[in-house]
């Protein structure tokens, strides 16, 4: 039971809510297309409400539902599709519908799906969808789902899209959220607090773990664009791995206040003068940038920050790792005079940081 469109960047977004079915209004016009596509939808929805089931809901400012996601774990053979899915632990996307309204909501739902898949250590993720829902299909294919089977029902023939989590293609997007270290370089990239806050709210920069269902909008964005003035960042290539490091907020010694917060994979690095015009630059950077239109236009005019880093945001560290621990336990340099604005990391150092940050061990491969 699925319907979606690709979402573009735009308005500021509120958090997703993990809601009981019984707390949702089945008469909301949002559900009309699902009722039309699936004759059994109303009965199914009421059954889930009685069972106490929950799903992710996104509401517009007027209180109307604008997006909904329901996930379930299935064990064994999935025999109602042809060819059947082999015996395994599956995450089924039971319902996914997203209205178009100029946001990255589709991307955030995809991120939440993968969060659950990794947390539950499933073998694959699958979803059934009618071919007419091209937006949903293209969105899923972008992140590694492939056409695997067909499902015949009284509502018609649905396509079965599958993401096998044990197979890697070597592509940054198709393999998301997994990170391969084979033949990859790793780096630490420092970001000032005032910019980092736009990536991750400072309120979660602490040493508390966060529940899988908790939604933090900044961590649920898959893509990021950062503009750097560090010439050495230009050597990064697609597939290289980044540790994001928030510099000290000056509220105490950097030894305790500077922290590694997250891990990503480079999509590309471009020089700012590679864009034909200011308009082309803003169009590229704006959707996933932490900078305002005014800042972007200023950067283009002055060329003071020349390197545009686009990367995939694979994992937030659930335990922030301080500068002191990075030196003492991860083996980063302790000598005075070594700048931490952009550092080469070994694969071992990257793994150490991920372990200290309590990143799920299944995410990093090789």
């Amino acid at each position: 039971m699925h319907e979606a469109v690709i979402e573009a960047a735009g308005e500021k977004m509120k958090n997703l809510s993990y809601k009981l079915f019984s707390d949702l209004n089945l008469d909301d016009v949002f559900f009309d297309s699902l009722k039309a596509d699936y004759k059994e939808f109303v009965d199914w929805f009421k059954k889930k409400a009685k069972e106490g089931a929950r799903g992710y809901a996104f509401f517009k400012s007027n209180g109307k539902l604008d997006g909904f996601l329901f996930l379930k774990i299935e064990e064994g053979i999935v025999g109602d599709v042809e060819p059947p899915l082999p015996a395994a632990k599956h995450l089924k996307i039971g319902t996914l519908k997203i209205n178009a309204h100029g946001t990255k909501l589709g991307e955030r739902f995809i991120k939440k799906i993968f969060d659950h898949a990794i947390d539950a250590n499933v073998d694959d993720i699958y979803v059934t969808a009618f071919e007419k829902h091209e937006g949903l299909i293209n969105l899923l294919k972008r992140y590694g789902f492939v056409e695997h089977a067909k499902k015949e029902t009284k509502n018609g023939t649905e396509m079965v899209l599958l993401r096998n989590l044990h197979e890697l293609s070597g592509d940054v997007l198709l393999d998301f959220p997994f990170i391969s270290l084979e033949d990859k370089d790793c780096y630490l990239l420092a970001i000032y607090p005032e910019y980092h806050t736009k990536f991750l709210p400072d309120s979660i920069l602490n040493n508390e773990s966060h529940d899988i269902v908790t939604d933090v909008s900044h961590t649920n964005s898959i893509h990021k664009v950062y503009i750097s003035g560090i010439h050495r960042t230009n050597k990064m290539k697609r597939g290289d791995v980044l540790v994001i490091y928030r510099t000290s907020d000056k509220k105490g010694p950097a030894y305790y206040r500077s922290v590694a917060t997250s891990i990503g994979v480079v999509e590309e690095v471009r020089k700012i003068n590679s864009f034909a015009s200011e308009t082309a630059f803003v169009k590229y950077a704006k959707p996933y940038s932490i900078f305002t239109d005014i800042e972007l236009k200023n950067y283009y005019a002055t060329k003071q920050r020349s390197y545009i880093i686009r990367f995939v945001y694979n994992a937030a560290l659930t335990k922030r790792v301080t500068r002191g621990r990075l030196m003492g336990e991860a083996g980063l340099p302790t000598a005075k005079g070594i700048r931490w604005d952009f550092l080469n990391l070994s694969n071992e150092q990257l793994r150490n940081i991920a372990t200290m940050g309590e990143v799920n061990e299944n995410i990093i491969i090789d």
Side-chain angles (χ1 to χ4, degrees):
M1 300 175 182
H2 329 277
E3 182 174 328
V5 296
I6 296 177
E7 304 293 343
E11 67 192 68
K12 183 178 179 181
M13 297 175 60
K14 298 180 177 65
N15 287 352
L16 305 178
S17 301
Y18 198 50
K19 305 287 287 185
L20 289 166
F21 274 62
S22 56
D23 289 337
L24 300 174
N25 179 13
L26 185 56
D27 294 325
D28 191 312
V29 294
F30 174 86
F31 292 117
D32 286 355
S33 61
L34 290 167
K35 294 173 184 175
D37 279 349
Y38 301 95
K39 298 178 177 64
E40 70 279 14
F41 181 78
V42 172
D43 290 339
W44 172 84
F45 189 97
K46 290 179 179 178
K47 179 184 176 184
K48 289 299 175 185
K50 288 182 179 179
E51 293 173 348
R54 291 177 178 266
Y56 287 97
F58 178 79
F59 296 90
K60 294 186 290 188
S61 57
N62 64 3
K64 296 294 185 180
L65 193 60
D66 221 25
F68 184 71
L69 167 67
F70 171 67
L71 301 168
K72 63 177 293 191
I73 299 291
E74 295 182 343
E75 301 268 7
I77 296 172
V78 178
D80 61 349
V81 305
E82 182 58 41
L85 301 185
K89 186 177 183 180
H90 314 277
L91 178 66
K92 181 181 181 180
I93 304 173
T95 306
L96 173 58
K97 180 184 176 184
I98 308 161
N99 287 337
H101 51 85
T103 70
K104 297 191 292 291
L105 185 56
E107 182 181 308
R108 288 179 60 193
F109 274 106
I110 292 294
K111 176 67 168 59
K112 189 60 72 175
I113 291 167
F114 281 114
D115 285 347
H116 277 263
I118 297 299
D119 187 67
N121 196 26
V122 300
D123 297 297
D124 58 46
I125 311 168
Y126 82 97
V127 62
T128 64
F130 291 113
E131 289 187 4
K132 67 180 180 180
H133 297 311
E134 295 181 4
L136 168 64
I137 293 168
N138 291 335
L139 177 67
L140 291 167
K141 285 183 174 180
R142 184 183 187 192
Y143 298 104
F145 284 79
V146 298
E147 297 178 35
H148 179 81
K150 298 289 185 181
K151 182 176 181 178
E152 300 291 343
T153 73
K154 61 184 178 182
N155 300 303
T157 301
E158 290 185 274
M159 178 188 304
V160 180
L161 294 158
L162 179 74
R163 171 68 191 272
N164 187 323
L165 299 183
H166 298 301
E167 295 179 358
L168 296 181
S169 68
D171 181 82
V172 171
L173 297 185
L174 297 179
D175 291 343
F176 178 86
F178 299 104
I179 301 168
S180 172
L181 300 184
E182 184 177 5
D183 299 323
K184 304 298 191 304
D185 293 317
C186 303
Y187 302 95
L188 178 142
L189 177 66
I191 296 179
Y192 290 125
E194 58 267 32
Y195 297 126
H196 188 280
T197 298
K198 300 175 185 178
F199 275 101
L200 283 170
D202 279 353
S203 60
I204 69 164
L205 284 175
N206 53 43
N207 286 323
E208 297 177 2
S209 295
H210 300 280
D211 191 272
I212 185 71
V213 302
T214 302
D215 183 71
V216 180
S217 60
H218 295 71
T219 66
N220 282 329
S221 174
I222 293 176
H223 303 273
K224 299 290 184 183
V225 168
Y226 187 69
I227 304 172
S228 172
I230 304 169
H231 174 72
R232 289 170 292 136
T233 59
N234 190 46
K235 69 179 182 179
M236 292 191 297
K237 60 187 184 299
R238 185 177 177 87
D240 285 347
V241 183
L242 278 178
V243 172
I244 303 301
Y245 172 74
R246 195 208 68 171
T247 59
S248 175
D249 56 8
K250 309 301 182 184
K251 296 179 180 179
Y255 190 87
Y256 302 106
R257 300 299 301 181
S258 296
V259 288
T261 66
S262 42
I263 300 176
V265 179
V266 176
E267 291 187 70
E268 67 175 351
V269 179
R270 293 183 60 175
K271 292 183 178 180
I272 200 167
N273 58 13
S274 71
F275 295 92
S277 65
E278 176 190 274
T279 300
F281 168 63
V282 173
K283 182 179 180 180
Y284 176 89
K286 173 69 176 183
Y288 298 106
S289 173
I290 63 174
F291 301 103
T292 66
D293 282 354
I294 293 175
E295 288 173 320
L296 290 173
K297 291 176 180 180
N298 183 60
Y299 289 144
Y300 187 80
T302 64
K303 305 297 192 292
Q304 289 178 339
R305 289 174 176 255
S306 299
Y307 304 100
I308 318 306
I309 305 167
R310 179 181 168 111
F311 63 96
V312 180
Y313 197 83
N314 295 65
L317 275 59
T318 55
K319 293 282 189 179
R320 312 306 169 189
V321 184
T322 64
R323 180 185 180 96
R325 293 190 68 202
L326 290 171
M327 292 189 294
E329 300 174 47
L332 270 64
T334 60
K336 292 182 178 180
I338 297 179
R339 293 179 59 85
W340 279 39
D341 54 354
F342 185 66
L343 284 177
N344 281 86
L345 300 174
S346 67
N347 285 5
E348 181 180 5
Q349 288 171 329
L350 188 284
R351 285 186 177 279
N352 287 342
I353 294 169
T355 298
M356 288 187 288
E358 298 186 359
V359 171
N360 187 295
E361 62 183 10
N362 295 321
I363 288 180
I364 297 180
I365 311 298
D366 304 323

